[in-house]
Amino acid sequence: MTARILHVAVPTPLNKGFDYLATPDTPVQLQPGCRIRVPFGRNDKIGILIEERQHSTIEPARLKPIKAVVEHTPCLSPELMALGQWASVYYHHPVGEVFNVMLPTLLRQGKPAKQDPVLIWRLSSHGMTLEPSALTRAPRQQAMLNLLRLHPEGLSATQLKEHHGDWRQAVNALQQKGLVECLPAASLESRSRAATPSTGPALNPSQQQAVEAVSRHFDEFKVWLLDGITGSGKTEIYLRLIEQVLAQGKQVLVLVPEIGLTPQLLARFRARLSGKISEVHSGLSDQQRLAIWLNAGQGDAQVIVGTRSAVFMPLSDPGLIIVDEEHDGSLKQQDGFRYHARDLAVWRGQRLNIPVVLGSATPSLESLYNALTGRYGSLILEQRAGGATLPRLAVVDARQTPADQPVTRQLLERMQQHLSQGSQVIIFLNRRGYAPVMMCFDCGWTARCERCDAHMTWHQHDRRLRCHHCGAERRAEQACPDCRAESLHTLGSGTERLEDFLQLRFPHEEIVRIDRDATRRKGELEKSLQKARSGRARILIGTQMLAKGHHFPGVTLVGILGVDHGLFSADFRGPEYMAQLVIQVAGRAGRGERPGEVILETHQPEHPLLQRLIRQSYSAFARAALKEREAARLPPYTKLALIRAEAVSPDSALLFLRKLNDALARSSQGVERWGPAPAPMERRAGRYRAQLLLQAEDRKALHNLLRHVHELARQTPEHRKVRWSVDVDPVEMF
Ligand code: ADP
Ligand code: ZN
Ligand code: ZN
């Protein structure tokens, strides 16, 4: 009798599957995708069965038997197995770790693939008819009763905890009195589903065309680039398409950037769609995530809206994938398994034979290129929906403005003007803190991070210096640590200084600042957004956090500060990112009835790409930027991979990459190798970093070269001293 050999993906840094022996009680015809507990090193690990084999390259006598079969029905469908295996090859990342990233934590840990029934508590019929004043002598029970009155559909333990940290006692007491009942949530689903969704506005002709174009090809793979200016009604198009797919009884996967999963978006989805909507984001508990995973796999979740990792959701009957803000950097995982959720979404669409809609007001140059060359279908919306007009964009030369003044005189005058007309104003500055540099004016000393090649940012409000790269912080000294002179000063402006400055200029205005520091405490962000929405605060200062997704109809002026560095970034994508940010921020202006105005302050008013963006459009800018990319042989015209290494000792990373580079040189036909060189910020969080860039005209050559990169790396003695990684299609060049 020949031995049964199980080829298993085990989560380890070794980029291969491992062979094990089946035991006598291993079920016959075990399907790929089942979880299997295997011995590995000194521990057991949970692996995924890739396939059963007749032979192993290792003698059967030396193979170990598996420990147990965790489940007999695969937890990864054939489609997800194929996705994981393909992604492992494409991104040159160990297959076991890829599966590990795909699985919800509880499955990764070997827990059973079933959900504990979620219980909910709601008022009993007796509780509903009770006089509101009946329990005045038990104020906690009274409060709980009031809460449940507001939620006739019932609340889960998690939800109750959110409202009343210590809820159990009150609920138990009410339950004993027969006022509250407890039941499994599943039995209530029909109730929430029966709600009648509201209908949207009648589509305008461009929207109509877009919806028809996609729905004509519902049952085939096609990628559509929905390139529509901010406010042109893209979300409305998604909603119509989703309605149609739901009507066919199929599921929709919607990927959104981290910052895009706002309550506003979800509320709109809920109000309009009749299917069951599940949200997937980093705030979910392990149980919640598993529940959604299982529901999606069984077709119980009909619309799945989630950030990056939702691209791995199982789908039992998929009909459409939508990637909103497809240009957004958060769709790319930046450590470990460095996948791009948009690109994996396209892969899934092809495999599942369904359409994929990529939407953006500022498409990535990659997607634009695919649309221009005809690989993707192109849907263009050039006008704002519902009659609002695009704001006017103007450049203001900031070169004459004194360094300690965060905004130009021209912008102050425009602010005055808009405020006096009763409008709101947004000032965007993507730099938090008070000032990015603290300097001794006597000797030139500057406050630097001890662990990074970077300045520390001065935070005036709590009087601390913070490194925005590694999080290190310390109290500032009174005098210069070098020359003891008491002449420490700050240079440049962050949002804190901007706030102080504007408050002095506009003493009667309430200002809200929305950045990570100002919204750290729970509930703070909602409070600030509320002040902004209600119009009470008329000056809104913000970083990136304010740039996307929010809709403030009262804003008519947007000022954009401090984006010049994008034009000269060490990253060739700098100008693209800058343009996307400018357009997204500009899109916050004039979304209501009154027309908007956008002022961009710059020290580079003549820069040709900036001129194109301002005088023409994002699309004119993007076409010019694509020409530059083509001339410089940069993506999308060529393919890149970046090998990064870091180590605590100064030269190890560079040395490792040199050895690796030499080893790669032997099979590097068709691939240019740049470096190895120190990273633009060489030291970060106490580690020295270096990188080696690989560039090829076609993907095949690049992949041929990278195929052996793990093996070659392990053959260098230096690999033990470094952390290293491969990044295929990197979106950040550091
Ligand atoms: P985008 O996603 O492109 O930013 P939205 O779909 O959010 O655009 O639409 C912007 C605003 O215009 C929303 O308030 C939306 O309700 C409204 N809107 C969208 N389509 C129409 C339409 N056909 N008629 C009237 N208003 C519309
Ligand atoms: Zn000094
Ligand atoms: Zn630091």
Side-chain angles (χ1 to χ4, degrees), residues 66-85:
I66 63 165
K67 284 280 171 78
V69 174
V70 178
E71 66 216 330
H72 298 189
T73 42
C75 78
L76 286 170
S77 65
E79 187 237 335
L80 288 182
M81 285 298 288
L83 173 68
Q85 285 174 288

Side-chain angles (χ1 to χ4, degrees), residues 449-456 467-472 684-686:
C449 176
E450 283 166 10
R451 310 169 67 218
C452 305
D453 294 331
H455 283 115
M456 293 192 95
C467 173
H468 288 186
H469 302 282
C470 72
R684 183 172 175 158

Side-chain angles (χ1 to χ4, degrees), residues 480-548:
C480 170
D482 264 12
C483 72
R484 310 310 310 167
E486 291 204 11
S487 49
L488 293 179
H489 297 269
T490 56
L491 296 178
S493 312
T495 46
E496 280 185 12
R497 174 177 248 162
L498 181 60
E499 182 182 9
D500 288 2
F501 179 84
L502 292 178
Q503 193 66 79
L504 278 176
R505 287 301 172 111
F506 302 99
H508 303 299
E509 294 292 342
E510 181 165 356
I511 299 182
V512 293
R513 172 163 62 91
I514 294 183
D515 59 24
R516 251 200 296 148
D517 301 314
T519 57
R520 215 172 284 273
R521 262 177 301 158
K522 201 170 181 260
E524 206 71 30
L525 176 63
E526 248 329 293
K527 222 157 85 191
S528 298
L529 288 174
Q530 191 44 40
K531 270 190 209 165
R533 264 183 235 128
S534 70
R536 201 172 106 200
R538 294 199 302 160
I539 300 179
L540 322 177
I541 293 174
T543 56
Q544 191 110 307
M545 285 184 81
L546 193 62
K548 294 174 204 168

Side-chain angles (χ1 to χ4, degrees), residues 61-317:
R62 294 182 48 215
L63 291 178
K64 290 184 189 160
I66 63 165
K67 284 280 171 78
V69 174
V70 178
E71 66 216 330
H72 298 189
T73 42
C75 78
L76 286 170
S77 65
E79 187 237 335
L80 288 182
M81 285 298 288
L83 173 68
Q85 285 174 288
W86 177 82
S88 161
V89 171
Y90 184 87
Y91 289 108
H92 299 276
H93 195 77
V95 65
E97 289 191 350
V98 170
F99 286 141
N100 222 28
V101 167
M102 293 172 69
L103 288 174
T105 310
L106 292 176
L107 295 187
R108 217 182 284 167
Q109 294 167 348
K111 303 270 163 53
K114 57 174 193 250
Q115 41 185 324
D116 298 332
V118 176
L119 295 176
I120 61 113
W121 283 263
R122 66 174 186 194
L123 293 182
S124 64
S125 47
H126 180 51
M128 277 188 227
T129 51
L130 192 75
E131 281 285 301
S133 55
L135 285 173
T136 36
R137 277 190 294 151
R140 282 166 165 270
Q141 293 175 37
Q142 175 77 49
M144 184 56 71
L145 214 54
N146 289 340
L147 175 68
L148 290 172
R149 276 211 181 90
L150 294 175
H151 296 274
E153 75 284 2
L155 293 171
S156 69
T158 332
Q159 289 167 320
L160 284 166
K161 203 156 143 197
E162 252 168 46
H163 288 282
H164 283 246
D166 167 26
W167 58 279
R168 222 170 254 282
Q169 224 180 350
V171 166
N172 283 346
L174 291 170
Q175 218 173 327
Q176 269 164 20
K177 292 180 186 154
L179 301 172
V180 163
E181 59 191 9
C182 172
L183 60 173
S187 58
L188 289 170
E189 230 146 64
S190 50
R191 204 151 107 177
S192 60
R193 244 182 241 178
T196 40
S198 62
T199 49
L203 297 184
N204 65 36
S206 339
Q207 287 174 313
Q208 189 72 39
Q209 268 175 14
V211 168
E212 278 167 16
V214 179
S215 51
R216 259 200 305 277
H217 299 272
F218 260 154
D219 295 312
E220 58 186 277
F221 168 62
K222 189 166 169 74
V223 185
W224 298 93
L225 178 61
L226 175 58
D227 175 358
I229 61 169
T230 49
S232 59
K234 296 184 291 299
T235 311
E236 200 53 48
I237 292 176
Y238 302 154
L239 288 166
R240 295 302 170 105
L241 291 172
I242 296 172
E243 276 168 10
Q244 293 188 24
V245 174
L246 291 182
Q248 297 176 9
K250 294 187 180 168
Q251 293 168 295
V252 183
L253 176 63
V254 184
L255 299 179
V256 295
E258 261 152 33
I259 216 159
L261 197 59
T262 56
Q264 269 168 311
L265 178 92
L266 288 166
R268 203 161 151 199
F269 270 52
R270 286 192 198 293
R272 291 283 300 282
L273 300 170
S274 56
K276 189 172 163 197
I277 302 171
S278 302
E279 304 150 39
V280 188
H281 52 81
S282 53
L284 294 180
S285 71
D286 291 345
Q287 272 83 7
Q288 287 171 317
R289 207 176 181 60
L290 176 61
I292 296 176
W293 164 277
L294 295 171
N295 284 340
Q298 289 151 6
D300 250 0
Q302 289 153 311
V303 181
I304 297 134
V305 189
T307 48
R308 178 175 69 227
S309 66
V311 75
F312 299 119
M313 277 287 152
L315 298 167
S316 65
D317 199 2

